[in-house]
Every structure is written in C-alpha cells, then in structure tokens.
Amino acid sequence: MRPALLPVIAAQQWRLLVRDRRLAVLGLSLLLALLAAAIAGAAVHGGREKERRAAQAEEARVWASQGPANPHGAAHFGRYFFEPASPLAAIDPGLLPQLGNSLKIEAHANNPARNRAIDGGTALDRFGGISPATMLQLFAPLLVILSGFAAFSGERARGLLRQELAAGVAPAALMTGRLVGLSATAGLLLTVAALASLLALAWNGGGPEDYTALLWMMLGYGLYLFAFAALTLAASAAFASARTALVVLLGFWAMATLFVPRVAPTIAETLAPTLSGPAFEAAVTQEVREGPSGHDPQDARLERLRQATTRRYRVTRLEDLPVDFNGIALFAGEQLSTAIYRRHFAALYDGYDRQAAIERGFALLSPFEAIRPWSAALAQSDQHAHRRFLEQADGFRYDLVQTLNRAIIHRRKGTEGPYLADVAAITREARFSPSPPRLREALGRHWPDLALLASWAGGATLLAFAAAKRLARAGA
C-alpha cells in the first residue's frame, strides 16, 4: 500500500459525495436539523429550569407560611420537590420524558415521581422527541449509508473499479481511502453536533464536568458512526449490485435502530419481570400491616411498643409518661414503613438493573443498544440518575417527618385541645439540595457500553477489509 495514495482516494470519495446534489441537500438538512434541535433543546431546558426554580421557591414559601399546625398533620400535608435536569439533558433527554419530574414527600409513604412529559405530549414525544441525540442515533447512520453504499458497487457497475485495480492500486488502499472519506462525512456531523452541544451547555450554565462528559459522549458517537461507515463500505464491496447493498444496509439500519430497541425491553421485562405500580403498593401495604412474615400485625407491634415504653420510663400507665406516646408510636411507625419501602424500592430498581443488563446483551445485534445507555448516562437522564434523586429525596423526607414526630414526643403536656406548633420554626434547618451523580460513576457503570461500541467499530473495520480482499480475488 502506497501511503501517498490515501489522501487522493479520500479526497476523491469526498468530492463524489459533495457533487451528489441529493446527498448534499440531505446532509445540509441534517446539519440544520442538528443545530435546530440543539438550540430548541437548550431553550426548552432553560425555560423548564426557570419554571422549576420558581415552583420550588413558591413551595418553600407555602411551607414556611402555614402558621401554627399539628406537626403530624403538617407531615401529611407534605412538601413537593421538582427534579433538576442536567444541562446535558438538552442534548440527550434520555428517559426524562418517561420519568416523573415532581415528587410529593409525606409521612408513611415513599411516593413515586409524577407528571411525566409523555402523559400530556404528542405522539412524537412518546418516541423521545427530536434532540441532537436522536439525530445522531437514528438519522446520522442513515446519511452515512446513503453516502457510501455505492462506493464500490457503483464503481464496479461503471467499470471504474476494474481500472483502479488494474492500475496497481491495492484493494486495502482503496478501502482505507474511502473509509477515511466516508468517515469525514460522519465527522462533519459529529463536529456540528459537538459545537451545537457546547453552545447549549454554555447557554444553560454547564460546569467543567459537563464539558468533560460531552467529550466522552462524542467519543461514543464517533465509534458508533464509524461502525456504520465501515459496515456500509463492507456491504458495498461485498455485493456486486449497489441496489442490493442499499437494501441490505437499510434492512440492518431498520433492524438496529427501530426493531431491536422496541423488542429488547419487552424481552427483558419477560425474563426479569418487575411489579406494577398497584402491585408494588399492595405488597408494601400488606407488609406494613402484617409484618414481613405475615404473623406480626400492627396491633401486636403497638402493644410491644407500649410495654417497652412504660418499662423504659418506669411507669405503669401511658398517662404517667413524661413524653407523648403518640409521638413515639408515630416515630416507630415511620421507621418501620421507611425500612419496608426502601427494601421494596431497592428490589424494584435491582430488577430494572437486571433488565438493563439483558438489554445490553442486544448490543451484540445492534450498536444502538450500546450508544443509547452510554449517552443517557453521561447526560444524567437515565434511570440511575433518577433513582439517585428519589433516594436523596426520601432521606430528606425521613429526617423531616422524624423531626416533626420528635416535636410531638417532647411537647409540653397538660395543654387542652389539639397540639399546634410553629412547623416552619421546627423545620427551619431542613434544606433539600440534591447532588447529581458524578461523571466517574457513569463511566464506571457504563464502560461495557463503550467497549461494545469499540468492538462494533473494530469488527466492522475487519469486515470491510475482508470484503476488500475479495475484490482482488474476484478480479472486480
């Protein structure tokens, strides 16, 4: 292979792509769509974050201005929190449209998040909407296929490939040069996407870790598009007809980006089933009432608590206690229900992790199943980021409710009427400031996805050069 030929072949491939007006129009349209999606995503993200901050401030004002109230009544009145979104979610919304973004915290309950975007959206929203990630995952591979499916088969039909081989150009040199030229098309898309993403991050106040995550994200997309470029040239070299190569490549694209992503979750749910919402709540409620074994009902637990409390304070009647037994019962009940909820939620999310592992196995059939979780994890728009928020919110909820229960336990005895207190003063120190997942956590959890993308890129390259060797043996 003569290295001096590689730039010439790559430049020739690039000129052919540019001269094809249909491809030029399609590519320009995709570039403009990428820019529009990034700008729109950044604007929508900024608007929603502004609304979220305003709603959170109003919620805090309502809680602080409720005046004298029964602490346990205030615990059931509850508070509302709205999940913040990472600036990178403007690039890849991931599962955010399917996950709720508002959460009510209250006594004796660990509520799921509500207000999913898809519940009030259009049909397009149910497929994730249009975002830069969607453009790169779905439409950029299609442009790569349309740009390169005739790179070898088209020249073979016109007799040009035979002339190139007869002139002494090695098939490997032709494949390398055309792979470089076709990769430049993917690289242009990736560059525009990266620049648009940088603008979106700057618009929404992204930090240094967000910019680092964006670099890792673009690395994954680079491997993803390179795999499609190599597979496209492999098919073009393997099939004598450009039409056959196009049909095969379009079939693979449809299977990889449309069919497998729809089938994989269904199979994963079948192999690793999880409880539905009503079944989950019923299981928790039953355990709270009957105990984990089904032989420890609430009445028996309450009676044991009465006896233990009277022994502790060395009295024979609850009325003689220096503290309020109702508060002690509420405190113990909150401990029990929280432990049960947390155990059941941990089992539920472990089931989701098993489903994700099963879906990862489908990345052997489709690189889409590797790039999608990789991108969403780095954008903090996946299930793990949502779970982290919910767990932090539940920790705050538990501390808040128990603070109110302690106020009941230690209230001044001998007062007539219902117990009222300044709830805002009791909970003045309570502040909820959720921390987002760290980048190293996402990288550590999803490195197999990057390894699968690298395997697809490497395997597709080997397939492309194996198809190039056949060109020489078949005499073009």
Side-chain angles (χ1 to χ4, degrees):
M1 180 188 302
R2 287 177 286 179
L5 287 176
L6 297 183
V8 176
I9 299 171
Q12 180 191 29
Q13 177 69 24
W14 179 254
R15 284 195 299 271
L16 290 174
L17 295 177
V18 173
R19 288 173 182 173
D20 191 327
R21 293 184 178 180
R22 292 170 296 180
L23 286 177
V25 170
L26 183 61
L28 182 60
S29 300
L30 187 55
L31 290 176
L32 293 175
L34 265 172
L35 286 171
I39 294 172
V44 170
H45 179 275
R48 287 177 177 173
E49 279 299 290
K50 184 177 180 180
E51 292 177 356
R52 184 192 68 81
R53 289 190 292 269
Q56 199 66 73
E58 177 64 15
E59 189 278 337
R61 187 196 65 79
V62 170
W63 176 263
S65 62
Q66 59 184 307
N70 178 269
H72 192 63
H76 278 290
F77 176 73
R79 298 197 62 177
Y80 289 85
F81 292 112
F82 306 94
E83 184 175 3
S86 164
L88 279 170
I91 309 304
D92 186 356
L95 294 176
L96 293 185
Q98 287 78 37
L99 302 173
N101 55 26
S102 66
L103 179 69
K104 181 183 181 182
I105 63 168
E106 60 180 324
H108 312 314
N110 190 339
N111 296 317
R114 304 292 185 188
N115 296 330
R116 303 186 307 163
I118 61 171
D119 291 338
T122 64
L124 185 60
D125 292 329
R126 292 174 175 82
F127 293 91
I130 296 298
S131 66
T134 305
M135 307 299 293
L136 290 174
Q137 292 170 11
L138 286 179
F139 303 118
L142 187 59
L143 178 62
V144 170
I145 289 172
L146 296 177
S147 299
F149 76 94
F152 286 100
S153 53
E155 289 198 353
R156 178 182 298 176
R158 296 191 298 270
L160 297 177
L161 183 58
R162 184 184 297 274
Q163 295 177 21
E164 290 175 328
L165 294 174
V169 181
L174 289 174
M175 179 60 72
T176 302
R178 287 182 178 141
L179 185 56
V180 171
L182 188 57
S183 297
T185 303
L188 178 61
L189 291 172
L190 202 61
T191 301
V192 172
L195 292 175
S197 300
L198 288 172
L199 292 175
L201 281 181
W203 188 339
N204 289 305
E209 191 162 278
D210 294 317
Y211 290 99
T212 304
L214 178 62
L215 292 177
W216 281 103
M217 187 186 295
M218 290 301 135
L219 173 61
Y221 280 113
L223 293 171
Y224 178 69
L225 295 181
F226 182 83
F228 270 96
L231 287 173
T232 297
L233 293 178
S236 183
F239 296 102
S241 168
R243 182 177 299 176
T244 302
L246 179 60
V247 169
V248 170
L249 289 168
L250 290 180
F252 174 77
W253 173 82
M255 182 273 295
T257 62
L258 301 178
F259 179 72
V260 170
R262 299 292 180 265
V263 172
T266 303
I267 296 177
E269 173 66 27
T270 302
L271 297 178
T274 54
L275 292 178
S276 64
F280 177 88
E281 190 64 32
V284 173
T285 301
Q286 181 179 359
E287 185 170 342
V288 169
R289 289 176 178 174
E290 302 177 5
S293 63
H295 301 287
D296 192 13
Q298 283 180 315
D299 291 342
R301 295 196 301 267
L302 185 60
E303 181 58 32
R304 289 199 304 270
L305 182 62
R306 289 194 188 99
Q307 295 176 5
T309 302
T310 54
R311 285 196 303 268
R312 177 184 175 187
Y313 288 96
R314 298 179 182 180
V315 296
T316 57
R317 300 186 311 158
L318 294 179
E319 292 81 0
D320 298 330
L321 287 172
V323 293
D324 191 326
F325 178 75
N326 291 327
I328 294 176
L330 291 171
F331 194 96
E334 192 62 46
Q335 284 181 319
L336 176 66
S337 63
T338 296
I340 292 173
Y341 265 108
R342 288 178 178 177
R343 186 171 67 254
H344 279 265
F345 267 112
L348 179 67
Y349 279 104
D350 287 345
Y352 291 155
D353 288 341
R354 288 191 294 272
Q355 292 176 1
I358 294 172
E359 287 191 55
R360 179 176 283 159
F362 282 88
L364 299 174
L365 299 176
S366 165
F368 186 90
E369 287 298 306
I371 189 60
R372 182 166 60 174
W374 171 259
S375 179
L378 293 171
Q380 300 176 23
S381 57
D382 63 343
Q383 186 73 57
H384 281 275
H386 184 63
R387 177 182 183 178
R388 181 185 178 93
F389 169 78
L390 294 180
E391 289 176 344
Q392 292 180 67
D394 183 60
F396 176 86
R397 180 200 67 83
Y398 179 76
D399 292 340
L400 180 73
V401 171
Q402 296 297 54
T403 297
L404 294 170
N405 287 334
R406 289 189 190 95
I408 298 174
I409 293 173
H410 300 291
R411 75 181 182 91
R412 182 180 301 175
K413 301 194 70 175
T415 57
E416 296 294 331
Y419 171 51
L420 301 178
D422 187 348
V423 172
I426 294 173
T427 61
R428 183 179 292 113
E429 302 301 323
R431 296 287 186 275
F432 180 52
S433 300
S435 60
R438 306 295 296 177
L439 174 59
R440 62 175 177 269
E441 296 176 18
L443 294 176
R445 195 171 58 247
H446 286 275
W447 69 264
D449 296 315
L450 185 64
L452 285 166
L453 289 170
S455 299
W456 268 99
T461 301
L462 293 176
L463 198 63
F465 281 97
K469 287 183 179 179
R470 293 184 58 200
L471 292 174
R473 289 200 300 267

